[in-house]
Amino acid sequence: MTLLPDLRLDQRLSRDQAYELVDIADTTELLRAAASRRDAAHGDAVTYSPKVFIPLTQLCRDVCHYCTFAHAPRTGIKPYLSIDEAVAIAQAGKEAGCHEALFTLGDKPELRYRIAREELARLGHDSTLSYVAEVAKAVFERTGLLPHINPGIMSAEDLAMLRKVSVSQGIMLESASERLCAKGGPHFGSPDKVPAVRLETIEAAGKLAVPFTSGILIGIGETRAERVDALLALRDLNDAHGHIQEIIIQNFRPKAGTRMATAEAPSVEDHLWTIAIARLLFEPGMNIQAPPNLSPAALGRVVAAGINDWGGVSPVTPDHVNPEAPWPHLRLLEAATRSAGKRLAKRLPIYPAFARNPSRWLDSKLLKSVLDRIDGDGAPRTDDWHPGHVGSLPARELEWRKRPARSSVATDVPAIIAHAQRGSELTEGEIVRLFRAHEDDFGTVCRGADELRRAVNGDVVSYVVCRNINYTNICSFKCQFCAFSKGKMSENLRGKPYDLEMSEVAQRVVEAWDRGASEVCMQGGIHPSYTGQKYLDVCRAVKGAVPDMHMHAFSPLEIHQGAQTLGIPVAEFLQRLKAAGLGTLPGTAAEILDDEVRETLCADKIRTQQWLDVMRTAHLVGFKSTATIMFGHIERYEHWARHLLRVRRLQAETGGFTEFVPLPFVHMEAPVYLKGRARPGPTFREAILMHAVARLVLNPFITNIQTSWVKMGPEGVRQCLAAGVNDLGGTLMDESISRSAGAAHGQEMTPQEMESIIVSSGRVPRQRTTLYGDAGDARRQRSFDAVCERQAAGAACAAGGSRSL
């Protein structure tokens, strides 16, 4: 009969339940439960932080009986590293691909050693912690590595000072047993190892919102029950403040030259028991870590016990605390992790869950550096690609098309894909899981989306010949992502303000028709003098110039504002627009359909429900529209999932969306990025996944997934075509919004170029209308001829272009 309670994911072991497991003989079920709990929260990844170890000083006032790191002053050895020495170590780490500069040092040596006090005075400091702050600042500013500081006992003032120069801090609790501090115990004579003192530091860190590392050291004379007590003390502090990033379960190793040199190390089984108990005592999302260099022969078993992190691993410096235990080579660690059924992944010293909410956990001076390094999940970016990028695509993300459709790691991704392919609604958690797909899972998601595309759309890829007409760039709104709008109320970025005359709008429509366009796409800023009448005038100008031109215009924001200024219901305003010639609506101004994001990104814009209500009303009065998402800035994967689900549910209700269009955030000139408060757009992996996941989530209600050539570029478009996309959008002619934000791709892609991309991808091109009908031979031929007419004399032009349907 098992003593292991049946815990739901929202339940944790109580103290009494953990005590009952202290003497458990067969740990098989315990380890299995811990691993299952880990898998539910962390999936297939076991992480590590590429780091350099900077031992700023090895002097310490404590005399722990197992420690070889700390030593008394030695002749010829300076008590502290100089700033230049620390920076040199960090620079070597940067060149080796590290993210983290780990500062480890003895505790307050100046309180014990005169030489420490004298050296600090020479350096212009009165405490070791003050010097740590100066060195960490220099390392960050001169190398860009992110400091993580383990300096021992700290006051609230110390923690606040170090928070300004580090992304995380830490102190091992080691044990909560006062007994170990008594005479004969391993902590006797070490005032900084008193549990209450260490817990006070950890609590102060929580009150100051410091991302914090802690844990226990097992095998130094404590009992299993005392380990439980220590873990519960940490749990109580984390429950109060939510600041503990990871719990380290470190196994003691006896070292020659110490008082505990002959002590027996804990067994592997004892270590595994403690890891599993820690996993079950904490919430599933807690990061449980075990240093790999301390269990080199049991790495697979350590994974199976429930860890999800190996800690910091250095390709440059030794483990100065355990110099007898070298770091495993990363290839060996990766192989061992994969053999255990997991994927080795990098992280920053600030864990993803904390990096996803950086304004809470980081000093403002560190914010931009972290945001520049992370993806939407808070993990390190795996490429330097960005929307509008010109150059080679990330090789790692292209490998999925070359690898066979199999994985050495068993995951839940295939089951989620099958669920979506059947047309069932996925949960928010399942969608987030798809966005977290890496390596083989990434390829599996892309293939699954493309299988669905082939079944729904066949091999035809459509596009529309259109012209963008942005009738004004003056806007009264202050959207933090927008580099297009200008004016008194805008962020006043590059470019001159303008407001086109209706005669100019009409002339551009005529030019577009002459160049073979079947659509004009019209959007602009919300000019402070505009009313709904202006939008009616625009409609009449377009239809008066070319009656057969399809007018695709006015976002839900413009519809909402137009109705409001006329003092009429949205439905009535939409009816007037329809009578004036409006054909369809663009689904822009959506950004992220979640008010948590909109509150920061576009605080004065319509809210999520207002956007949905305008679209619902438009569909009900007979309009079709597109739907979009603008992603890669301040939002998280959960927001992407909610956005997709809201679009899906509205489409299931109205059937009014013709297509879904992912729009990767172009960061270069965006105010929110320039202010250091946003990521530099999505990674290439994320951009491809947005198209693939949208195809799966929106099935069967939205059957057209479009990619933006302006954002993705020609080569990126080809990748999207293999990941669920069946439409390339419009030729645009005068694209200016993305270009204003810094995108480097051209303002127009000709029909010839569109069809060349499609054919080279093994697909069949089709020029379409806005509503996905065939453009017709006459319009198509005119669009090709117009390009030829503009080419230089003698330039080759294949009239009629490639074969299409």
Side-chain angles (χ1 to χ4, degrees):
M1 180 177 178
T2 181
L3 295 173
L4 188 66
D6 184 17
L7 297 176
R8 301 189 310 269
L9 280 179
D10 60 346
Q11 291 180 309
R12 306 176 297 189
L13 286 178
S14 67
R15 185 186 303 272
D16 289 342
Q17 288 171 330
Y19 280 169
E20 290 179 1
L21 298 171
V22 162
D23 297 318
I24 189 171
D26 183 356
T27 60
T28 303
E29 190 175 348
L30 174 69
L31 301 183
R32 185 182 299 119
S36 177
R37 192 175 184 85
R38 180 267 320 280
D39 292 347
H42 299 281
D44 65 334
V46 175
T47 54
Y48 76 101
S49 176
K51 73 173 182 183
V52 287
F53 203 126
I54 302 177
L56 196 61
T57 181
Q58 291 185 252
L59 302 182
C60 183
R61 72 164 173 168
D62 295 320
V63 290
C64 300
H65 297 183
Y66 45 77
C67 179
T68 58
F69 174 76
H71 57 69
R74 296 174 179 172
T75 302
I77 298 179
K78 294 188 302 182
Y80 295 90
L81 293 179
S82 70
I83 291 178
D84 287 344
E85 288 170 330
V87 169
I89 294 171
Q91 185 61 37
K94 178 181 180 180
E95 292 169 2
C98 295
H99 295 294
E100 174 182 346
L102 169 63
F103 288 84
T104 294
L105 51 147
D107 211 315
K108 297 180 176 59
E110 68 272 21
L111 299 182
R112 181 177 181 184
Y113 297 114
R114 185 180 67 183
I115 191 173
R117 294 191 293 273
E118 291 174 347
E119 180 67 5
L120 286 171
R122 188 185 70 80
L123 293 167
H125 293 273
D126 59 3
S127 73
T128 297
L129 294 180
S130 173
Y131 184 53
V132 171
E134 182 184 5
V135 179
K137 183 173 184 287
V139 164
F140 173 69
E141 291 178 346
R142 290 164 62 177
T143 73
L145 291 194
L146 301 174
H148 171 81
I149 302 178
N150 288 338
I153 296 300
M154 293 170 280
S155 67
E157 292 75 17
D158 296 327
L159 286 158
M161 172 181 64
L162 294 176
R163 189 181 189 274
K164 295 177 181 179
V165 296
S166 65
V167 299
S168 54
Q169 300 176 47
I171 184 173
M172 290 286 283
L173 174 58
E174 296 194 6
S175 174
S177 173
E178 299 281 352
R179 181 176 58 81
L180 300 184
C181 297
K183 189 172 183 179
H187 290 155
F188 180 68
S190 300
D192 301 302
K193 291 301 174 79
V194 174
V197 174
R198 296 178 87 77
L199 288 169
E200 185 178 348
T201 290
I202 300 170
E203 182 173 25
K207 291 178 179 178
L208 291 168
V210 176
F212 213 75
T213 290
S214 193
I216 61 174
L217 177 62
I218 71 166
I220 57 173
E222 81 294 344
T223 66
R224 282 186 171 183
E226 287 172 332
R227 294 178 201 169
V228 170
D229 292 340
L231 291 169
L232 286 170
L234 292 172
R235 187 175 82 174
D236 288 344
L237 292 178
N238 192 56
D239 286 348
H241 306 290
H243 67 302
I244 297 180
Q245 296 192 111
E246 61 187 335
I247 297 294
I248 302 173
I249 308 299
Q250 182 172 332
N251 48 317
F252 158 73
R253 289 170 60 107
K255 298 174 178 63
T258 67
R259 296 185 184 182
M260 295 181 67
T262 60
E264 185 177 354
S267 67
V268 172
E269 287 70 22
D270 200 22
H271 193 200
L272 301 181
W273 178 89
T274 312
I275 291 169
I277 286 293
R279 173 61 68 194
L280 297 174
L281 279 169
F282 283 88
E283 62 276 9
M286 177 57 74
N287 299 293
I288 306 296
Q289 178 195 124
N293 59 321
L294 302 185
S295 303
L299 296 180
R301 297 181 68 188
V302 169
V303 172
I307 70 155
N308 68 290
D309 188 79
W310 290 120
V313 178
S314 178
V316 177
T317 53
D319 180 352
H320 291 277
V321 175
N322 299 283
E324 81 291 350
W327 303 113
H329 192 287
L330 285 176
R331 284 198 297 268
L332 298 177
L333 188 60
E334 182 173 17
T337 305
R338 192 165 291 277
S339 294
K342 296 296 175 184
R343 172 180 61 86
L344 186 65
K346 296 178 183 179
R347 63 164 172 84
L348 301 181
I350 177 172
Y351 271 83
F354 291 77
R356 291 195 293 266
N357 190 10
S359 59
R360 176 183 176 188
W361 296 109
L362 290 173
D363 185 83
S364 60
K365 293 183 177 64
L366 300 164
L367 191 61
K368 185 179 188 304
S369 184
V370 169
L371 288 172
D372 278 345
R373 297 167 191 247
I374 61 173
D375 63 17
D377 205 32
R381 297 177 75 90
T382 56
D383 59 64
D384 60 0
W385 179 90
H386 55 75
H389 171 83
V390 174
S392 299
L393 297 182
R396 179 173 177 170
E397 272 65 36
L398 303 183
E399 285 296 315
W400 72 269
R401 297 185 67 179
K402 302 175 184 177
R403 289 196 296 264
R406 55 183 169 79
S407 174
S408 60
V409 176
T411 74
D412 53 350
V413 166
I416 297 173
I417 291 171
H419 194 50
Q421 288 175 332
R422 291 192 296 269
S424 302
E425 181 174 296
L426 300 183
T427 66
E428 180 181 312
E430 287 174 325
I431 299 170
V432 169
R433 177 67 184 90
L434 294 183
F435 282 123
R436 286 180 173 151
H438 287 264
E439 298 181 1
D440 290 333
D441 277 347
F442 172 70
T444 299
V445 173
C446 293
R447 288 188 189 94
D450 211 46
E451 289 169 2
L452 182 57
R453 181 274 307 164
R454 190 175 295 110
V456 173
N457 306 98
D459 286 331
V460 174
V461 178
S462 53
Y463 70 97
V464 62
V465 178
C466 67
R467 182 172 193 173
N468 267 21
I469 303 177
N470 302 119
Y471 40 83
T472 184
N473 66 349
I474 300 171
C475 189
S476 58
F477 287 81
K478 294 182 286 187
C479 298
Q480 291 298 297
F481 59 86
C482 183
F484 171 73
S485 66
K486 313 292 179 290
K488 293 180 180 179
M489 298 298 290
S490 76
E491 295 287 341
N492 293 306
L493 295 175
R494 67 184 186 184
K496 295 181 178 180
Y498 65 81
D499 184 13
L500 296 183
E501 297 291 338
M502 289 300 97
S503 59
E504 175 65 18
V505 170
Q507 180 60 35
R508 294 189 186 191
V509 174
V510 171
E511 291 172 358
W513 184 260
D514 186 56
R515 290 172 57 180
S518 60
E519 171 194 310
V520 286
C521 178
M522 309 192 65
Q523 295 180 87
I526 308 299
H527 195 292
S529 69
Y530 279 12
T531 69
Q533 185 58 48
K534 179 70 174 186
Y535 302 125
L536 292 167
D537 293 342
V538 172
C539 291
R540 295 184 179 112
V542 170
K543 301 304 284 188
V546 181
D548 290 335
M549 182 69 83
H550 183 94
M551 186 177 176
H552 182 64
F554 311 136
S555 71
L557 174 61
E558 290 163 294
I559 299 297
H560 182 271
Q561 184 261 355
Q564 192 174 55
T565 57
L566 293 178
I568 60 176
V570 166
E572 182 179 341
F573 183 49
L574 285 164
Q575 294 284 13
R576 292 188 189 182
L577 290 169
K578 180 181 279 289
L582 181 61
T584 52
L585 276 64
T588 49
E591 282 68 76
I592 297 293
L593 292 175
D594 192 284
D595 288 343
E596 181 183 356
V597 176
R598 300 179 78 83
E599 186 63 39
T600 297
L601 193 68
C602 47
D604 52 354
K605 217 167 189 177
I606 56 174
R607 287 292 181 255
T608 296
Q609 194 56 53
Q610 290 173 309
W611 190 96
L612 294 169
D613 287 345
V614 169
M615 280 303 194
R616 177 182 291 104
T617 303
H619 296 167
L620 292 177
V621 301
F623 280 108
K624 296 289 186 180
S625 73
T626 62
T628 67
I629 183 171
M630 196 267 290
F631 64 104
H633 35 85
I634 66 172
E635 80 295 3
R636 304 186 301 272
Y637 290 172
E638 290 84 356
H639 299 122
W640 297 358
R642 294 167 196 165
H643 183 109
L644 289 172
L645 287 171
R646 285 165 177 150
V647 169
R648 175 191 166 95
R649 290 164 185 166
L650 182 56
Q651 179 73 345
E653 177 186 343
T654 68
F657 292 124
T658 54
E659 70 220 53
F660 184 77
V661 189
L663 300 171
F665 171 58
V666 181
H667 72 286
M668 287 76 84
E669 298 290 341
V672 69
Y673 179 76
L674 295 176
K675 295 173 182 177
R677 299 204 302 261
R679 304 189 301 278
T683 65
F684 188 70
R685 179 190 68 85
E686 291 173 318
I688 298 295
L689 276 177
M690 181 59 77
H691 296 81
V693 174
R695 166 66 68 180
L696 293 164
V697 173
L698 300 175
N699 179 51
F701 300 111
I702 296 181
T703 58
N704 297 304
I705 305 298
Q706 181 185 119
T707 191
S708 167
W709 60 264
V710 177
K711 310 291 198 301
M712 298 301 300
E715 291 304 316
V717 165
R718 289 186 176 91
Q719 296 301 313
C720 289
L721 285 174
V725 163
N726 71 295
D727 188 78
L728 301 193
T731 57
L732 300 185
M733 297 185 191
D734 291 299
E735 199 288 322
S736 58
I737 295 177
S738 295
R739 295 276 293 181
S740 296
H745 299 298
Q747 293 180 296
E748 177 179 5
M749 182 173 285
T750 67
Q752 287 92 328
E753 292 170 320
M754 284 280 200
E755 297 203 3
S756 176
I757 291 173
I758 295 167
V759 171
S760 68
S761 300
R763 307 279 279 279
V764 180
R766 179 174 77 94
Q767 192 177 117
R768 64 168 174 85
T769 65
T770 308
L771 292 170
Y772 283 81
D774 287 330
D777 291 341
R779 281 284 85 196
R780 182 175 181 278
Q781 189 64 50
R782 182 59 202 148
S783 70
F784 276 84
D785 291 345
V787 174
C788 296
E789 292 168 3
R790 298 198 316 276
Q791 290 179 338
C797 182
S802 307
R803 179 179 64 85
S804 67
L805 295 184

